[in-house]
Amino acid sequence: QVQLVESGGGLVQAGGSLRLSCAATGRTVSSYIMGWFRQAPGKERELVATIRRNGFSTYYADSVKGRFTISRDNAKNTIALQMNSLKPEDTAVYYCAADRGFTLGSPDYWGQGTQVTVSS
């Protein structure tokens, strides 16, 4: 069992940056593939980025590629999402997720979410 707690959301102007963090307790994050999802009002939850256990293999949705960077610190039991060049369409609740398997198709664990609002 692992508990995930996100932080770092907030309000930012378009073109700005935010850094989201996800702290895990209960189990070490090195045991899981980790990632970030987001859900905008009226839209389905979408996968934003993933990072494998070794920290070197990453995936990004096309909509964030080149602007967002996912990272993990297994020693600190955290992952982060650095978001640069933010756009109003990035506005959403961002969720940290973890899975014991090899993909985040249906994560075993979810955080409670953190709101990101990008103003134009």
Side-chain angles (χ1 to χ4, degrees):
Q1 187 80 10
V2 64
Q3 293 78 43
L4 305 173
V5 179
E6 302 98 335
S7 62
L11 173 65
V12 64
Q13 288 187 332
S17 299
L18 280 175
R19 183 177 178 85
L20 305 183
S21 295
C22 174
T25 59
R27 293 288 299 273
T28 174
V29 297
S30 62
S31 301
Y32 304 93
I33 180 172
M34 307 285 294
W36 293 90
F37 289 75
R38 67 185 181 186
Q39 187 166 22
K43 295 187 177 181
E44 293 187 355
R45 190 173 296 186
E46 64 169 339
L47 178 62
V48 174
T50 67
I51 186 165
R52 293 195 176 275
R53 291 167 178 79
N54 60 17
F56 298 114
S57 299
T58 57
Y59 160 85
Y60 296 95
D62 287 343
S63 58
V64 306
K65 203 171 292 184
R67 300 187 298 122
F68 290 12
T69 302
I70 189 171
S71 61
R72 68 191 297 159
D73 187 333
N74 289 341
K76 294 183 178 179
N77 237 25
T78 60
I79 69 166
L81 186 68
Q82 178 66 42
M83 305 186 295
N84 298 327
S85 302
L86 283 162
K87 304 175 181 180
E89 50 264 42
D90 294 318
T91 295
V93 178
Y94 283 71
Y95 298 90
C96 177
D99 196 273
R100 293 164 291 184
F102 298 97
T103 71
L104 280 176
S106 182
D108 293 320
Y109 305 105
W110 292 92
Q112 83 289 351
T114 185
Q115 176 70 46
V116 171
T117 303
V118 184
S119 63
S120 58

